[in-house]
Amino acid sequence: MKKTALITGVSGQDGAYLANLLLKKNYKVIGSDRRSSRSSLWRLKRLGIEKKVILEELELSELYDIKRLLQKYKFDEIYNLGAQSFVKSSFNSPLYTSNVTGTSVLKLLETIREVDPKIKFYQASSSEMYGKVSEKIQNEDTNFNPQSPYAIAKVFGHFTTQLYRESYNIFAVSGILFNHESPLRGEEFVTRKITLGLVKILKGDLNCLELGNIYAKRDWGYAKEYVEAIWKMLQQKKPRDFVISTGKTYSVKQFINETLRFLKIDAKWVGKGLNERLINRENRRTIIKINPKFFRPAEVDILIGDSSKADKFLKWKSKTKLKELVKIMIESELNNYI
Ligand code: NAP
Ligand code: F7E
């Protein structure tokens, strides 16, 4: 029997990769999109699946949109990937973020309870929930200590998912995914900002890239692999939450240095603090500098995930190392550069 799945946030990085995966597994894929004056389907187009996904309009903050959609189709699985997902913006729009990223989870689960409690539900939880970490390596039992309105909204969604699983016997699970990147990553996130920015500099289309805290450390994996873990979570006999990560952490500065190596840019770091900059040795030009505008009111300094539970139950392990990830992103940047 062909399964029917809803992916909220299908126009985003994970939504596009997951839609591709489910189509390959012969699912009927309904992808929800919100109305906008700009088309946001470039990722589905890049994967060649924009005509294979059935698009439905859904504003996540609108309960009646959710109800209409769940009554229109008989869904087997719902993957809730839609969110205001940019941490920095959540400080400027905290109420909006709490509504779209947090409360919408409750709206979805309450509608599932009302319309069809047999629907399996995936919630996109985040390593940002650990915030100022209470343990050096974070797993499913580590306490949350969120440091942004985004992370607080995700904690709300996470506990709501657990509550609906335990109280109403709904197959509802959360994947606590650590940062995952790809050529389909939004340009505002730091990895993509770096790969695209340095390629622009190389092509002569940008003089200098401005960044914030280059000493923040993240556990960066490859998004295409992470959506496989997401799918596996809904195929289990028992609903359980899982951490999905690589177990390695690197600073933003280390990510920059890897990118420089791939692009064969010979450059050196000089100065300290706000005066730290990267100078191109060939022409003595500053190609990266620090701009406090990109600092956050509260920062998450370091994250490292332990995904051994996923290894045990899902038979899932991250494969792509940071170097390979940088290579994949840079090659795509160069191939798609206009
Ligand atoms: P993304 O690229 O930013 O995609 C977010 C999606 O949500 C987009 O399709 C966006 O639509 C949609 N959306 C935003 N506001 C909406 C609203 N009000 N109503 C309906 N849809 C809305 O995010 P991603 O990187 O794919 O991440 C997928 C999910 O995993 C998100 O929930 C994110 O918070 C979570 N997560 C991501 C990571 C990571 O490292 N990538 C790690 C942990 C958790 P538009 O195209 O119209 O903006
Ligand atoms: O920042 C630092 C910044 O915006 C990473 C989302 O997918 O992953 C993502 O959240 C780090 C932070 O991702 C710049 O301060 C320095 O410490 O790429 P990011 P994020 O905030 O970790 C989690 C798991 C999610 O759930 C989120 O949805 O890099 N940083 N300079 C910078 N960050 C940005 N964006 N821009 C800079 O110029």
Side-chain angles (χ1 to χ4, degrees):
M1 274 277 282
K2 200 172 173 118
K3 282 190 192 171
T4 303
L6 168 65
I7 302 175
T8 72
V10 79
S11 58
Q13 171 188 255
D14 294 5
Y17 281 124
L18 182 65
N20 200 26
L21 181 78
L22 296 187
L23 287 167
K24 282 189 183 141
K25 293 188 183 296
N26 200 31
Y27 276 62
K28 176 174 171 183
V29 179
I30 319 300
S32 80
D33 194 22
R34 52 188 173 147
R35 206 213 69 79
S36 122
S37 56
R38 287 184 302 176
S39 165
S40 57
L41 298 181
W42 67 272
R43 295 180 175 94
L44 298 181
K45 285 184 185 148
R46 180 82 66 85
L47 298 178
I49 56 169
E50 79 277 16
K51 295 208 170 74
K52 295 182 184 153
V53 173
I54 301 167
L55 287 174
E56 288 283 353
E57 201 173 304
L58 173 74
E59 165 52 61
L60 272 170
S61 56
E62 187 57 57
L63 176 64
Y64 294 101
D65 262 9
I66 294 176
K67 283 198 170 173
R68 265 192 296 275
L69 195 55
L70 267 67
Q71 278 158 353
K72 182 167 174 185
Y73 294 91
K74 186 154 176 40
F75 291 115
D76 297 291
E77 298 170 2
I78 295 180
Y79 296 87
N80 183 33
L81 308 184
Q84 190 304 94
S85 76
F86 191 42
V87 174
K88 177 85 165 47
S89 294
S90 77
F91 287 99
N92 304 330
S93 314
L95 286 175
Y96 173 76
T97 303
S98 74
N99 196 357
V100 172
T101 306
T103 320
S104 65
V105 183
L106 177 58
K107 291 175 186 156
L108 278 160
L109 282 162
E110 196 48 28
T111 310
I112 288 176
R113 188 163 85 91
E114 196 181 307
V115 174
D116 181 4
K118 287 203 185 66
I119 297 174
K120 291 183 173 181
F121 178 79
Y122 172 84
Q123 167 58 13
S125 285
S126 164
S127 53
E128 280 294 298
M129 300 188 304
Y130 297 118
K132 286 249 173 284
V133 295
S134 59
E135 286 177 291
K136 202 172 160 208
I137 299 178
Q138 301 86 53
N139 65 23
E140 294 79 3
D141 300 321
T142 305
N143 287 335
F144 300 138
N145 189 5
Q147 296 297 310
S148 64
Y150 167 80
I152 291 171
K154 284 289 181 188
V155 171
F156 175 86
H158 186 81
F159 284 129
T160 304
T161 303
Q162 263 182 18
L163 182 78
Y164 274 64
R165 172 168 79 224
E166 283 156 19
S167 312
Y168 304 119
N169 208 19
I170 292 172
F171 193 112
V173 300
S174 288
I176 308 174
L177 271 56
F178 282 61
N179 297 53
H180 45 281
E181 320 295 311
S182 75
L184 302 187
R185 188 57 143 152
E187 291 175 17
E188 66 276 35
F189 297 96
V190 78
T191 56
R192 186 79 209 290
K193 188 172 167 184
I194 293 165
T195 56
L196 181 61
L198 286 174
V199 166
K200 278 187 182 168
I201 287 171
L202 203 65
K203 302 273 183 193
D205 292 333
L206 179 72
N207 290 328
C208 182
L209 179 63
E210 296 186 343
L211 295 169
N213 174 15
I214 58 171
Y215 290 97
K217 289 182 150 187
R218 291 291 184 275
D219 178 330
W220 276 301
Y222 183 24
K224 198 175 168 195
E225 278 176 10
Y226 281 39
V227 299
E228 286 171 21
I230 292 178
W231 174 74
K232 284 183 169 197
M233 284 182 219
L234 288 199
Q235 314 313 312
Q236 300 299 296
K237 281 218 171 73
K238 223 179 129 187
R240 289 188 178 95
D241 300 333
F242 290 98
V243 159
I244 299 298
S245 63
T246 70
K248 298 266 185 304
T249 194
Y250 296 93
S251 67
V252 173
K253 191 172 175 178
Q254 283 173 303
F255 189 94
I256 297 169
N257 291 337
E258 281 304 332
T259 309
L260 293 170
R261 259 192 282 282
F262 265 101
L263 288 173
K264 299 192 171 55
I265 299 175
D266 186 13
K268 68 168 179 187
W269 291 99
V270 296
K272 279 209 168 109
L274 290 179
N275 295 319
E276 187 163 7
R277 31 203 189 104
L278 184 72
I279 297 179
N280 187 336
R281 278 204 175 92
E282 273 176 28
N283 54 21
R284 313 292 309 153
R285 285 203 182 132
T286 297
I287 52 173
I288 294 187
K289 66 180 181 188
I290 307 300
N291 186 338
K293 174 173 120 181
F294 296 108
F295 289 146
R296 294 163 185 193
E299 178 62 288
V300 172
D301 300 321
I302 178 165
L303 292 170
I304 316 175
D306 167 11
S307 58
S308 45
K309 185 177 169 191
D311 187 10
K312 182 174 170 196
F313 291 98
L314 306 178
K315 307 277 173 277
W316 182 94
K317 253 188 192 165
S318 139
K319 295 187 201 92
T320 309
K321 307 264 181 300
L322 188 87
K323 267 188 185 163
E324 294 162 70
L325 178 62
V326 171
K327 183 170 183 274
I328 293 167
M329 291 179 73
I330 285 293
E331 281 174 353
S332 161
E333 225 61 92
L334 293 169
N335 288 336
N336 293 293
Y337 196 78
I338 330 167

Short mmCIF file of all heavy atoms in Angstrom, two decimals, residues 208-247:
data_model
loop_
_atom_site.label_atom_id
_atom_site.label_comp_id
_atom_site.label_asym_id
_atom_site.label_seq_id
_atom_site.Cartn_x
_atom_site.Cartn_y
_atom_site.Cartn_z
N CYS A 208 34.79 41.59 0.93
CA CYS A 208 35.07 41.11 2.28
C CYS A 208 33.81 40.49 2.91
O CYS A 208 32.72 41.05 2.79
CB CYS A 208 35.54 42.31 3.12
SG CYS A 208 35.99 41.85 4.78
N LEU A 209 34.00 39.36 3.57
CA LEU A 209 32.89 38.67 4.23
C LEU A 209 32.89 39.06 5.71
O LEU A 209 33.95 39.03 6.35
CB LEU A 209 33.12 37.15 4.08
CG LEU A 209 32.11 36.20 4.70
CD1 LEU A 209 30.73 36.36 4.06
CD2 LEU A 209 32.59 34.76 4.54
N GLU A 210 31.72 39.43 6.25
CA GLU A 210 31.64 39.83 7.66
C GLU A 210 30.94 38.76 8.47
O GLU A 210 29.85 38.32 8.11
CB GLU A 210 30.89 41.16 7.77
CG GLU A 210 31.63 42.28 7.07
CD GLU A 210 30.99 43.64 7.28
OE1 GLU A 210 29.81 43.69 7.69
OE2 GLU A 210 31.66 44.64 7.00
N LEU A 211 31.57 38.37 9.58
CA LEU A 211 31.01 37.31 10.42
C LEU A 211 30.94 37.75 11.88
O LEU A 211 31.51 38.79 12.25
CB LEU A 211 31.88 36.05 10.32
CG LEU A 211 31.93 35.36 8.95
CD1 LEU A 211 33.02 34.30 8.92
CD2 LEU A 211 30.58 34.75 8.59
N GLY A 212 30.27 36.92 12.70
CA GLY A 212 30.16 37.20 14.14
C GLY A 212 31.17 36.39 14.94
O GLY A 212 32.38 36.49 14.70
N ASN A 213 30.67 35.56 15.85
CA ASN A 213 31.54 34.80 16.76
C ASN A 213 32.14 33.57 16.06
O ASN A 213 31.49 32.53 15.94
CB ASN A 213 30.69 34.38 17.97
CG ASN A 213 31.43 33.46 18.91
OD1 ASN A 213 32.67 33.34 18.83
ND2 ASN A 213 30.69 32.80 19.78
N ILE A 214 33.38 33.69 15.64
CA ILE A 214 34.00 32.59 14.88
C ILE A 214 34.59 31.51 15.81
O ILE A 214 35.15 30.53 15.34
CB ILE A 214 35.08 33.09 13.89
CG1 ILE A 214 36.19 33.87 14.60
CG2 ILE A 214 34.44 33.93 12.78
CD1 ILE A 214 37.37 34.20 13.69
N TYR A 215 34.42 31.70 17.13
CA TYR A 215 34.91 30.69 18.07
C TYR A 215 33.81 29.74 18.55
O TYR A 215 34.09 28.81 19.32
CB TYR A 215 35.65 31.35 19.23
CG TYR A 215 36.95 31.93 18.70
CD1 TYR A 215 37.05 33.27 18.34
CD2 TYR A 215 38.04 31.10 18.47
CE1 TYR A 215 38.22 33.78 17.78
CE2 TYR A 215 39.21 31.60 17.91
CZ TYR A 215 39.29 32.93 17.57
OH TYR A 215 40.44 33.41 16.99
N ALA A 216 32.55 29.98 18.11
CA ALA A 216 31.47 29.05 18.46
C ALA A 216 31.78 27.71 17.81
O ALA A 216 32.31 27.66 16.70
CB ALA A 216 30.14 29.59 17.94
N LYS A 217 31.46 26.62 18.53
CA LYS A 217 31.75 25.28 18.00
C LYS A 217 30.45 24.50 17.82
O LYS A 217 29.58 24.53 18.69
CB LYS A 217 32.65 24.52 18.98
CG LYS A 217 34.07 25.05 19.01
CD LYS A 217 34.89 24.22 19.96
CE LYS A 217 36.34 24.18 19.53
NZ LYS A 217 37.10 23.24 20.36
N ARG A 218 30.39 23.80 16.69
CA ARG A 218 29.18 23.02 16.38
C ARG A 218 29.54 21.62 15.91
O ARG A 218 30.61 21.39 15.35
CB ARG A 218 28.35 23.71 15.28
CG ARG A 218 27.69 25.00 15.68
CD ARG A 218 26.57 24.76 16.70
NE ARG A 218 25.84 25.99 17.02
CZ ARG A 218 26.23 26.86 17.96
NH1 ARG A 218 27.33 26.65 18.65
NH2 ARG A 218 25.50 27.94 18.20
N ASP A 219 28.59 20.71 16.10
CA ASP A 219 28.69 19.33 15.62
C ASP A 219 27.94 19.32 14.29
O ASP A 219 26.71 19.23 14.24
CB ASP A 219 28.01 18.44 16.69
CG ASP A 219 28.00 16.98 16.33
OD1 ASP A 219 27.96 16.66 15.13
OD2 ASP A 219 27.97 16.15 17.25
N TRP A 220 28.73 19.44 13.19
CA TRP A 220 28.12 19.63 11.86
C TRP A 220 28.07 18.34 11.06
O TRP A 220 29.13 17.74 10.76
CB TRP A 220 28.94 20.64 11.04
CG TRP A 220 28.63 22.07 11.29
CD1 TRP A 220 27.42 22.70 11.13
CD2 TRP A 220 29.54 23.10 11.70
NE1 TRP A 220 27.53 24.04 11.42
CE2 TRP A 220 28.82 24.30 11.77
CE3 TRP A 220 30.91 23.12 12.00
CZ2 TRP A 220 29.40 25.52 12.13
CZ3 TRP A 220 31.49 24.33 12.36
CH2 TRP A 220 30.75 25.50 12.43
N GLY A 221 26.88 17.92 10.63
CA GLY A 221 26.73 16.73 9.78
C GLY A 221 26.13 17.10 8.43
O GLY A 221 25.93 18.29 8.13
N TYR A 222 25.86 16.07 7.64
CA TYR A 222 25.37 16.26 6.27
C TYR A 222 23.85 15.99 6.22
O TYR A 222 23.40 14.88 6.51
CB TYR A 222 26.13 15.30 5.34
CG TYR A 222 25.80 15.40 3.87
CD1 TYR A 222 25.27 16.56 3.31
CD2 TYR A 222 26.03 14.32 3.03
CE1 TYR A 222 24.99 16.65 1.96
CE2 TYR A 222 25.75 14.40 1.67
CZ TYR A 222 25.22 15.56 1.15
OH TYR A 222 24.93 15.63 -0.20
N ALA A 223 23.09 17.00 5.82
CA ALA A 223 21.62 16.94 5.87
C ALA A 223 21.03 15.75 5.11
O ALA A 223 20.05 15.14 5.57
CB ALA A 223 21.05 18.25 5.32
N LYS A 224 21.63 15.40 3.99
CA LYS A 224 21.08 14.32 3.17
C LYS A 224 21.05 13.00 3.96
O LYS A 224 20.13 12.20 3.81
CB LYS A 224 21.94 14.17 1.90
CG LYS A 224 21.26 13.41 0.81
CD LYS A 224 22.11 13.41 -0.43
CE LYS A 224 21.55 12.41 -1.43
NZ LYS A 224 22.50 12.12 -2.47
N GLU A 225 22.05 12.80 4.81
CA GLU A 225 22.09 11.59 5.65
C GLU A 225 21.11 11.69 6.81
O GLU A 225 20.55 10.69 7.24
CB GLU A 225 23.47 11.49 6.33
CG GLU A 225 24.54 10.90 5.50
CD GLU A 225 25.87 10.94 6.27
OE1 GLU A 225 25.93 11.25 7.48
OE2 GLU A 225 26.87 10.66 5.60
N TYR A 226 20.92 12.91 7.31
CA TYR A 226 20.11 13.08 8.52
C TYR A 226 18.63 12.78 8.26
O TYR A 226 17.91 12.31 9.14
CB TYR A 226 20.31 14.49 9.11
CG TYR A 226 21.61 14.61 9.92
CD1 TYR A 226 22.78 13.99 9.51
CD2 TYR A 226 21.65 15.35 11.10
CE1 TYR A 226 23.96 14.09 10.23
CE2 TYR A 226 22.83 15.46 11.85
CZ TYR A 226 23.98 14.82 11.41
OH TYR A 226 25.14 14.93 12.15
N VAL A 227 18.17 13.06 7.01
CA VAL A 227 16.74 12.79 6.75
C VAL A 227 16.46 11.28 6.72
O VAL A 227 15.33 10.86 6.94
CB VAL A 227 16.22 13.47 5.45
CG1 VAL A 227 16.35 14.99 5.55
CG2 VAL A 227 16.91 12.95 4.19
N GLU A 228 17.49 10.47 6.47
CA GLU A 228 17.29 9.01 6.53
C GLU A 228 16.97 8.60 7.97
O GLU A 228 16.11 7.76 8.21
CB GLU A 228 18.55 8.27 6.04
CG GLU A 228 18.69 8.37 4.54
CD GLU A 228 20.02 7.84 4.04
OE1 GLU A 228 20.67 7.07 4.75
OE2 GLU A 228 20.39 8.25 2.92
N ALA A 229 17.67 9.21 8.91
CA ALA A 229 17.40 8.93 10.33
C ALA A 229 15.98 9.37 10.69
O ALA A 229 15.27 8.67 11.42
CB ALA A 229 18.43 9.63 11.20
N ILE A 230 15.57 10.51 10.15
CA ILE A 230 14.21 11.03 10.44
C ILE A 230 13.17 9.98 9.99
O ILE A 230 12.25 9.63 10.74
CB ILE A 230 13.98 12.37 9.70
CG1 ILE A 230 14.86 13.47 10.29
CG2 ILE A 230 12.51 12.76 9.71
CD1 ILE A 230 14.75 14.84 9.62
N TRP A 231 13.34 9.50 8.76
CA TRP A 231 12.38 8.51 8.22
C TRP A 231 12.39 7.24 9.09
O TRP A 231 11.33 6.72 9.45
CB TRP A 231 12.73 8.18 6.77
CG TRP A 231 11.87 7.08 6.22
CD1 TRP A 231 10.56 7.18 5.84
CD2 TRP A 231 12.25 5.70 6.04
NE1 TRP A 231 10.10 5.94 5.43
CE2 TRP A 231 11.12 5.02 5.54
CE3 TRP A 231 13.43 4.98 6.24
CZ2 TRP A 231 11.14 3.66 5.24
CZ3 TRP A 231 13.45 3.62 5.95
CH2 TRP A 231 12.31 2.98 5.45
N LYS A 232 13.58 6.79 9.44
CA LYS A 232 13.69 5.55 10.24
C LYS A 232 12.95 5.66 11.57
O LYS A 232 12.40 4.69 12.06
CB LYS A 232 15.16 5.21 10.49
CG LYS A 232 15.85 4.61 9.26
CD LYS A 232 17.27 4.22 9.57
CE LYS A 232 17.83 3.39 8.43
NZ LYS A 232 19.03 2.66 8.82
N MET A 233 12.96 6.86 12.16
CA MET A 233 12.31 7.03 13.47
C MET A 233 10.82 6.70 13.40
O MET A 233 10.25 6.20 14.37
CB MET A 233 12.49 8.47 13.96
CG MET A 233 13.87 8.74 14.49
SD MET A 233 13.98 10.42 15.09
CE MET A 233 15.62 10.83 14.53
N LEU A 234 10.20 6.99 12.25
CA LEU A 234 8.76 6.71 12.14
C LEU A 234 8.48 5.27 11.69
O LEU A 234 7.33 4.86 11.62
CB LEU A 234 8.08 7.70 11.18
CG LEU A 234 7.91 9.13 11.68
CD1 LEU A 234 6.84 9.87 10.88
CD2 LEU A 234 7.51 9.19 13.15
N GLN A 235 9.53 4.51 11.39
CA GLN A 235 9.31 3.11 10.96
C GLN A 235 9.55 2.14 12.11
O GLN A 235 9.45 0.93 11.93
CB GLN A 235 10.24 2.74 9.77
CG GLN A 235 10.31 3.77 8.66
CD GLN A 235 8.95 4.29 8.22
OE1 GLN A 235 8.03 3.51 7.99
NE2 GLN A 235 8.82 5.61 8.13
N GLN A 236 9.86 2.65 13.30
CA GLN A 236 10.12 1.78 14.46
C GLN A 236 8.82 1.20 15.02
O GLN A 236 7.76 1.78 14.83
CB GLN A 236 10.81 2.59 15.57
CG GLN A 236 12.14 3.19 15.16
CD GLN A 236 13.15 2.13 14.77
OE1 GLN A 236 13.55 1.32 15.58
NE2 GLN A 236 13.55 2.13 13.51
N LYS A 237 8.95 0.09 15.74
CA LYS A 237 7.76 -0.50 16.40
C LYS A 237 7.32 0.41 17.55
O LYS A 237 6.14 0.64 17.76
CB LYS A 237 8.11 -1.88 16.97
CG LYS A 237 8.14 -2.97 15.91
CD LYS A 237 7.57 -4.28 16.47
CE LYS A 237 7.39 -5.29 15.36
NZ LYS A 237 8.71 -5.84 14.91
N LYS A 238 8.33 0.90 18.30
CA LYS A 238 8.03 1.70 19.49
C LYS A 238 8.45 3.16 19.26
O LYS A 238 9.56 3.38 18.73
CB LYS A 238 8.86 1.13 20.65
CG LYS A 238 8.12 1.02 21.94
CD LYS A 238 9.00 0.45 23.02
CE LYS A 238 8.89 1.38 24.21
NZ LYS A 238 9.80 1.06 25.27
N PRO A 239 7.61 4.13 19.63
CA PRO A 239 8.04 5.52 19.44
C PRO A 239 9.10 5.94 20.46
O PRO A 239 8.89 5.79 21.68
CB PRO A 239 6.74 6.32 19.65
CG PRO A 239 5.87 5.43 20.47
CD PRO A 239 6.26 4.01 20.21
N ARG A 240 10.21 6.44 19.98
CA ARG A 240 11.30 6.88 20.86
C ARG A 240 11.93 8.13 20.27
O ARG A 240 11.95 8.29 19.05
CB ARG A 240 12.42 5.83 20.92
CG ARG A 240 12.12 4.57 21.65
CD ARG A 240 13.42 3.75 21.76
NE ARG A 240 13.23 2.52 22.50
CZ ARG A 240 12.97 1.34 21.93
NH1 ARG A 240 12.88 1.24 20.63
NH2 ARG A 240 12.80 0.28 22.68
N ASP A 241 12.53 8.97 21.15
CA ASP A 241 13.26 10.15 20.68
C ASP A 241 14.72 9.79 20.47
O ASP A 241 15.25 8.94 21.18
CB ASP A 241 13.18 11.27 21.73
CG ASP A 241 11.74 11.69 22.00
OD1 ASP A 241 10.90 11.52 21.10
OD2 ASP A 241 11.46 12.15 23.13
N PHE A 242 15.35 10.46 19.50
CA PHE A 242 16.76 10.15 19.20
C PHE A 242 17.58 11.41 18.96
O PHE A 242 17.10 12.35 18.31
CB PHE A 242 16.85 9.31 17.91
CG PHE A 242 16.35 7.91 18.07
CD1 PHE A 242 15.05 7.59 17.67
CD2 PHE A 242 17.14 6.91 18.62
CE1 PHE A 242 14.57 6.29 17.81
CE2 PHE A 242 16.67 5.61 18.76
CZ PHE A 242 15.37 5.30 18.36
N VAL A 243 18.83 11.36 19.44
CA VAL A 243 19.83 12.36 19.08
C VAL A 243 20.46 11.93 17.76
O VAL A 243 20.80 10.76 17.58
CB VAL A 243 20.92 12.46 20.18
CG1 VAL A 243 22.21 13.08 19.65
CG2 VAL A 243 20.40 13.28 21.36
N ILE A 244 20.63 12.88 16.84
CA ILE A 244 21.28 12.60 15.56
C ILE A 244 22.44 13.59 15.41
O ILE A 244 22.23 14.81 15.37
CB ILE A 244 20.26 12.75 14.38
CG1 ILE A 244 19.10 11.75 14.55
CG2 ILE A 244 20.95 12.58 13.03
CD1 ILE A 244 19.48 10.27 14.52
N SER A 245 23.66 13.04 15.37
CA SER A 245 24.84 13.91 15.39
C SER A 245 26.04 13.15 14.83
O SER A 245 25.95 11.96 14.56
CB SER A 245 25.13 14.31 16.84
OG SER A 245 25.44 13.15 17.59
N THR A 246 27.20 13.85 14.75
CA THR A 246 28.42 13.18 14.28
C THR A 246 29.33 12.79 15.45
O THR A 246 30.19 11.93 15.31
CB THR A 246 29.27 14.09 13.36
OG1 THR A 246 29.84 15.14 14.15
CG2 THR A 246 28.45 14.69 12.23
N GLY A 247 29.19 13.49 16.59
CA GLY A 247 30.08 13.24 17.74
C GLY A 247 31.39 14.02 17.67
O GLY A 247 32.27 13.84 18.50
#
